[in-house]
Amino acid sequence: MEKRPRSFYVLASFFGLFILFLYGPTLTIAILSFQGPKGGLTFPMNGVSLHWFRDLFEQQAVGDIWGAFRRSLLLGFMVMITTVVGSVMAGLAFRKRFAGSSVLFYLAITSLVIPSILISLGVGLIFNQLGFRVHWATSGFGSQLTWTLPFGLLIMFAVFNRFDKSYEEAARDQGASSWQTIRFVVVPIIAPSLIGVALFGFTLSYDEFARTLLTAGSYNTLPLEIFGMTTNVTTPVIYALGTLTTLFSLGVIGFFLLTFWLIGKRRARFGSDAGKGL
Amino acid sequence: MHRTLITWLQAAPLAVILLGFLVAPIIMIVIVSFWGATEFSIYPDFQLENYKFLFSSPVTYKVFFVTFKYAFITWALTLTIGFTVAYFLAFHIRSQTTQIALFLLCTIPFWTSNIIRMISWIPFLGRNGIANQTLISWGVIDAPLDWLLYSDFSVILAFVHLYTLFMVVPIFNTMMRIDKSLLEAARDAGASGFQTLCHLIIPLTKPGIMIGSIFVLTLVMGDFITVRFMSGSQKANVGRLISNDIALLQYPSAAATAVVLLCTVLIMIAIMLRFVNIRKEL
């Protein structure tokens, strides 16, 4: 193997510092969440305890975080499923040119880059003027989709750009209907990427703040609840909450990545060796 | 006819969501920006007062200037860091497994909470935070620095922390598509590493740089929460101007500011999109 140039070591240390920059702060609050009962928001550690984690389970100390967590979880699932279905369908549609396709494409891009507060403000105004009550499961749900669906769509573009159309042609030649082609050929082939779309849908919804701010109504989602805490909670209990919800996110990411990997393994095991010259 | 109908049906869910929660809200904001407001309520009207007030107030220009300043500095920093990281991953890591693992390591924070990631800077930057304690113990400074937290510095630091990822991913993606034999050809022709970078890699990575820039610029331009949290409500950008008006129930004035912000952002994007075809680059 070729000897590594000196620039490798310079860049590798830069990369290491970057990773430290990304993860360092989060690790710090993870450590600080184990502060003793008399400990403050910064070092030094004043003893080690689970005090602040216990505090999270006491209603009066922190408000309704468990209710907020349940709502965020449910909303995350709703957004995830809608995002997967919506982006796959739109991805299929965009493989052909149809009237309005470029308008729809630019709308999706606009949806991604528009300042989030505009969605929040606009949706809030519409609901108010029409006399509807804003609620996380209606206005909040729709507002979050304006953020997750375009991401899903971009992933589907990436997937279909690499999709070998001859599989579909083969299916059609064998007499498959267009629904059968999608159900038994296209979807199984793109299945691993759908896990990626689902990951985006769930996590982006679970952590979404700006577009939900004016559209969630009187019942907060978890990020809104946490933000409310930042203004009036001055104890490490907020670090404990941050640590738990980050661990939860990491668990979700791990679950999706593991599923992705397992599907790949399964595929390698059961896949045909046709055309490989074995 | 039948086929077109199916295609339209496939595009329908996306179209319905975007019409209901993107197009309609924008139209509503434009309409309300001409309405009037009392202290407690808003009423339909057609007046230009909101815009007149907005453009005659020196605060507006100051706040727009701050917004551009944040956007530009964050853009320059995220581009430099993001390009370097992507370059290292794409050209210096030889095994594909390591490459994927390190790339994931960079992207995982994107899927965790932004608010928690902002909060996590407090123990670092506070008056008695890690940064001040370390600098004092090294003897670099005598008294704690006050400008670390709740300042422009902390705002930009948080932006870079949150958004560098949006540069790394698209730049890495385009770099991976560069044909490696081009690099060999450049070397065989006697190009130095620096020349290869300037005349080959940077020009070929331009689409990725553009996509990353679009993300970073629009996220920073539209932000209101990072500025509020990291500046301890001491700094203002356009997003905060809007959210303050909303908090005071001055929706028409918030809407007028929002319209101006939207136009600014869309003009920037339109210019940048002329240099890149997003659909081809994915």
Side-chain angles (χ1 to χ4, degrees):
Chain A
M1 208 162 185
E2 210 181 327
K3 206 173 146 281
R4 299 232 185 241
R6 203 175 41 188
S7 59
F8 170 82
Y9 297 99
V10 178
L11 287 169
S13 359
F14 184 85
F15 183 80
L17 285 176
F18 177 67
I19 294 297
L20 192 67
F21 171 66
L22 274 186
Y23 289 89
T26 315
L27 286 176
T28 316
I29 64 159
I31 295 169
L32 282 171
S33 60
F34 292 99
Q35 274 278 27
K38 295 221 155 40
L41 285 172
T42 49
F43 285 107
M45 293 289 281
N46 213 327
V48 176
S49 75
L50 289 172
H51 177 85
W52 304 108
F53 287 97
R54 257 194 312 266
D55 247 21
L56 281 180
F57 292 88
E58 282 163 26
Q59 199 75 27
Q60 65 276 24
V62 284
D64 186 21
I65 54 161
W66 295 102
F69 174 69
R70 273 197 303 275
R71 286 187 283 276
S72 276
L73 202 59
L74 187 59
L75 184 58
F77 278 115
M78 288 162 58
V79 170
M80 177 181 90
I81 290 162
T82 319
T83 304
V84 171
V85 175
S87 350
V88 172
M89 288 176 72
L92 288 168
F94 270 108
R95 296 201 298 168
K96 295 157 225 141
R97 286 202 71 81
F98 57 95
S101 66
S102 61
V103 174
L104 191 59
F105 174 72
Y106 280 108
L107 276 183
I109 297 296
T110 310
S111 188
L112 208 55
V113 300
I114 191 174
S116 301
I117 196 164
L118 265 83
I119 301 284
S120 232
L121 173 65
V123 173
L125 280 173
I126 289 182
F127 270 66
N128 280 340
Q129 291 301 315
L130 293 179
F132 299 151
R133 288 261 292 273
V134 283
H135 192 273
W136 57 270
T138 55
S139 49
F141 172 65
S143 308
Q144 292 197 342
L145 286 174
T146 62
W147 176 233
T148 58
L149 264 178
F151 265 114
L153 184 67
L154 290 186
I155 298 176
M156 292 322 295
F157 278 139
V159 170
F160 283 126
N161 278 352
R162 292 166 179 73
F163 190 84
D164 187 349
K165 283 206 168 128
S166 47
Y167 290 117
E168 275 172 285
E169 277 155 29
R172 226 170 294 138
D173 288 349
Q174 308 251 0
S177 69
S178 53
W179 166 246
Q180 283 172 322
T181 313
I182 291 177
R183 168 71 185 76
F184 297 107
V185 178
V186 178
V187 170
I189 291 177
I190 62 173
S193 334
L194 298 190
I195 293 173
V197 178
L199 171 65
F200 270 79
F202 182 82
T203 55
L204 293 188
S205 158
Y206 179 73
D207 297 320
E208 159 56 10
F209 178 84
R211 299 187 189 213
T212 332
L213 181 64
L214 297 177
T215 55
S218 32
Y219 297 104
N220 276 346
T221 59
L222 191 60
L224 295 175
E225 195 73 22
I226 293 174
F227 184 72
M229 285 174 71
T230 60
T231 50
N232 54 29
V233 176
T234 49
T235 59
V237 72
I238 196 160
Y239 293 160
L241 178 56
T243 305
L244 279 190
T245 174
T246 305
L247 278 179
F248 177 77
S249 290
L250 293 180
V252 169
I253 297 166
F255 171 78
F256 279 107
L257 292 180
L258 190 69
T259 317
F260 184 82
W261 182 71
L262 284 177
I263 289 188
K265 290 272 284 201
R266 206 180 112 96
R267 230 172 230 203
R269 206 149 27 97
F270 293 114
S272 155
D273 58 5
K276 285 189 186 146
L278 293 172
Chain B
M1 188 57 223
H2 180 64
R3 303 213 72 136
T4 340
L5 190 68
I6 289 181
T7 311
W8 272 346
L9 283 178
Q10 284 169 338
L14 177 70
V16 169
I17 296 282
L18 291 182
L19 282 178
F21 290 91
L22 176 76
V23 178
I26 293 176
I27 294 174
M28 189 68 192
I29 289 176
V30 174
I31 294 173
V32 171
S33 72
F34 294 105
W35 285 14
T38 65
E39 263 178 62
F40 318 101
S41 65
I42 57 176
Y43 55 90
D45 195 358
F46 186 83
Q47 53 177 33
L48 294 169
E49 278 313 304
N50 301 312
Y51 289 99
K52 266 188 210 150
F53 179 77
L54 189 66
F55 285 112
S56 64
S57 160
V59 174
T60 312
Y61 297 97
K62 226 176 90 188
V63 161
F64 263 91
F65 174 76
V66 171
T67 309
F68 279 115
K69 182 181 80 180
Y70 286 154
F72 180 77
I73 299 176
T74 308
W75 173 77
L77 289 171
T78 51
L79 177 59
T80 317
I81 300 172
F83 186 90
T84 316
V85 167
Y87 179 83
F88 173 72
L89 286 178
F91 297 116
H92 279 280
I93 303 292
R94 287 164 181 165
S95 111
Q96 210 200 352
T97 320
T98 320
Q99 211 169 33
I100 294 173
L102 292 181
F103 179 72
L104 277 177
L105 198 62
C106 291
T107 39
I108 282 171
F110 172 62
W111 294 312
T112 64
S113 165
N114 276 4
I115 292 178
I116 301 292
R117 290 172 71 202
M118 280 187 249
I119 291 173
S120 65
W121 279 107
I122 292 176
F124 260 91
L125 301 177
R127 251 187 94 79
N128 302 312
I130 297 172
N132 270 327
Q133 283 175 6
T134 315
L135 289 174
I136 289 176
S137 72
W138 286 351
V140 182
I141 50 170
D142 300 324
L145 301 171
D146 282 327
W147 51 264
L148 288 179
L149 192 58
Y150 304 140
S151 60
D152 281 345
F153 172 79
S154 55
V155 170
I156 289 168
L157 183 77
F159 277 139
V160 173
H161 187 224
L162 294 176
Y163 299 145
T164 299
L165 194 75
F166 286 91
M167 282 288 188
V168 175
V169 174
I171 294 179
F172 176 74
N173 183 34
T174 29
M175 277 180 175
M176 290 304 282
R177 297 165 146 220
I178 295 177
D179 188 346
K180 293 282 187 294
S181 54
L182 286 175
L183 301 181
E184 278 166 38
R187 195 149 37 138
D188 291 348
S192 69
F194 185 70
Q195 282 173 319
T196 315
L197 182 69
C198 291
H199 297 294
L200 199 101
I201 296 174
I202 291 180
L204 288 176
T205 320
K206 237 178 219 157
I209 293 176
M210 277 298 162
I211 295 178
S213 305
I214 289 176
F215 268 113
V216 170
L217 286 175
T218 53
L219 284 167
V220 176
M221 294 285 295
D223 173 89
F224 63 102
I225 209 67
T226 312
V227 174
R228 173 167 160 192
F229 188 78
M230 295 307 287
S231 79
S233 297
Q234 292 176 35
K235 306 279 170 191
N237 67 342
V238 182
R240 283 208 62 207
L241 204 61
I242 299 173
S243 75
N244 284 350
D245 275 340
I246 293 173
L248 297 170
L249 304 180
Q250 297 298 310
Y251 293 113
S253 147
T257 318
V259 170
V260 177
L261 175 64
L262 181 64
C263 293
T264 319
V265 171
L266 288 184
I267 290 170
M268 284 170 60
I269 303 300
I271 294 172
M272 291 166 85
L273 280 179
R274 298 194 79 91
F275 298 100
V276 55
N277 181 341
I278 291 189
R279 275 181 76 173
K280 275 211 188 113
E281 292 306 327
L282 292 164

